[in-house]
Amino acid sequence: LIDLADTPTLLPLSAILMAGGKGERLRPITLSTPKPLLKVGGRPIIDYNIGNLARCGISDVWVTTRYLASQIKEYFAVPRHGITVKCVEEEKPLGTIGAAALVPRSPEGDTLVMNSDLLTTINIEGMYLRHVSENADITVAAIPYVVSVPYAILSGDGVRVKALEEKPTYSHFANAGIYIFSNRVLNALSPDERTDATDLIEAAIKEGMTVAYYPVNGTWIDIGSHADFRHAEELMKHHRSLTNHE
């Protein structure tokens, strides 16, 4: 029996959470605690992501570790949100995606790969449906990123100015650190080579594979600095107040 209030969807995905980084920009609080286990709103950051996976019916979940790996392994020594999370440790740094080569998987199917230090309410079901509808080999979660130039920008022909644009604003989509990969893409990774996610995606594009993107509509915080950590704490205080109000 499945309680649809707790598990509204069942996605045919495996998941890998990358948790091997040192979190150097968050020192000194990461000197004794790996960043994924830092608590925001009274819960480890990674726990929010495990809970989100559980709500999507994803139970084949792996965490790649390196820095202070024993603490992460100890945390997942018991099931979390009904999921028995498996851990694998890098013997050497393998980049932002290379450690996925250490995780066993079937030749077919798809795998969600994400950074474990994100605080996000991304709609994983919506992202998976985009992946399927586009028949994509890779789908990249994307966040809007706005660049505002505080000057008048010149456009011209040679040395002649043809127009001025006063303080323009440019909108882009940026990589959110969450991906759905076809397993055949991940199976090409070597466990002995360092590979970043951007390298793998660029190689897939050059090979003519289909790479789609899915805009994140909701909360997304990459907790990479003390300012980000404080922002996440304030956000969760707001969430708790809403819960208490209800």
Side-chain angles (χ1 to χ4, degrees), residues 39-61:
K39 290 186 177 181
V40 173
R43 293 168 58 190
I45 298 167
I46 196 171
D47 189 66
Y48 291 98
N49 295 317
I50 298 296
N52 199 9
L53 296 174
R55 283 189 292 274
C56 294
I58 301 173
S59 58
D60 182 24
V61 179

Side-chain angles (χ1 to χ4, degrees), residues 195-244:
T195 307
D196 288 332
T198 51
D199 297 329
L200 185 61
I201 294 169
E202 288 175 352
I205 293 172
K206 289 180 180 178
E207 291 178 15
M209 295 184 183
T210 300
V211 178
Y213 74 92
Y214 177 78
V216 176
N217 183 14
T219 299
W220 182 92
I221 303 175
D222 178 7
I223 304 178
S225 67
H226 288 279
D228 296 328
F229 191 77
R230 289 191 295 269
H231 180 200
E233 281 282 12
E234 289 300 318
L235 179 67
M236 294 316 299
K237 286 179 183 178
H238 177 64
H239 279 202
R240 287 202 302 274
S241 67
L242 287 177
T243 302
N244 292 337

Side-chain angles (χ1 to χ4, degrees), residues 97-101 105 184-193 195 200:
I97 195 69
R105 70 183 61 83
R184 68 186 185 91
V185 177
L186 293 180
N187 290 340
L189 290 170
S190 169
D192 299 318
E193 295 181 5
T195 307
L200 185 61

Side-chain angles (χ1 to χ4, degrees), residues 113 162 240:
V113 181
K162 297 294 186 180
R240 287 202 302 274

Side-chain angles (χ1 to χ4, degrees), residues 88-104:
V88 62
E89 184 174 352
E90 300 173 76
E91 294 183 359
K92 61 181 181 180
L94 292 173
T96 59
I97 195 69
L102 305 176
V103 175

